[in-house]
Amino acid sequence: FYKTEEYLYICRKKQHRAKMKYKRILLKLSGEALMGDRQYGIDPKRLAEYAEEIKQIHELGVEIAIVIGGGNIFRGVAGASNGMDRVQGDYMGMLATVINGMALQGALEEKGMLTRLQTALKIEAIAEPYIKRRAVRHLEKNRIVIFGAGTGNPYFTTDTAAVLRGVEIDADVILKGTRVDGIYNKKKKKNKDA
């Protein structure tokens, strides 16, 4: 009687937990990767792939927080280089991360996961405001927490937001899944000495 599917699932889950090095992670995802083969926007196929991979990690008992970029929709730095006010451009980029956060939230929930979207800008109609204690409590309740709108301040990247949120929620590790393989003092693509 004890070897039911549910029992076997629980045993497998406990074995995986024993092998997992990290209890709580912060995952930094690229917004640009959401484009897939498109020139801009969100590729539903790529979004579903993200959700499936996140689900596999979540099922191992890992608490997951996510910061996602907005480069597939808008980059404040790019706007500024074309004559736009940098601060306004950065706020537009923050809104792009909220759009991506909403898309990811929908994809995760379609796969049966509980999620919360928290933003550094107040947008109560679509997301909770970022509150550290609330974020931690959601993680403890096995919900995936997505952080949108970066730090809520211009001149800071979503990489900075990922590190900040990771430290605040006491993540064991920050995992970066983006096109850039690290953090540099200059643009790596343009400066070989970065």
Side-chain angles (χ1 to χ4, degrees), residues 11-27:
C11 288
R12 283 194 303 272
K13 197 167 182 180
K14 284 181 180 177
Q15 288 171 348
H16 285 303
R17 275 190 184 157
K19 294 178 186 178
M20 290 304 299
K21 187 173 182 178
Y22 306 114
K23 179 183 178 215
R24 180 178 296 160
I25 66 171
L26 187 130
L27 182 58

Side-chain angles (χ1 to χ4, degrees), residues 2-3 31 41 56 78 87 89 93 98 106 109 131 134-136:
Y2 65 90
K3 290 191 177 183
Q56 290 173 17
V87 172
V98 175
E109 289 179 350
I131 299 171
R134 186 178 287 175
V136 169

Side-chain angles (χ1 to χ4, degrees), residues 52-72:
E52 184 57 39
E53 290 177 3
I54 292 166
K55 180 179 181 180
Q56 290 173 17
I57 297 166
H58 192 252
E59 287 178 343
L60 298 176
V62 178
E63 297 174 1
I64 303 172
I66 302 169
V67 169
I68 190 162
N72 57 318

Side-chain angles (χ1 to χ4, degrees), residues 82-133:
N82 290 319
M84 180 181 284
D85 177 68
R86 171 66 192 266
V87 172
Q88 186 173 19
D90 281 355
Y91 279 114
M92 291 170 69
M94 287 179 226
L95 294 175
T97 71
V98 175
I99 292 169
N100 284 342
M102 291 173 68
L104 183 59
Q105 181 179 37
L108 292 168
E109 289 179 350
E110 281 182 23
K111 300 228 177 251
M113 290 171 275
L114 299 174
T115 67
R116 291 297 185 270
L117 175 60
Q118 293 192 338
T119 61
L121 300 174
K122 290 184 180 180
I123 315 173
E124 290 90 353
I126 57 173
E128 296 178 359
Y130 170 71
I131 299 171
K132 178 217 180 250
R133 289 179 188 220

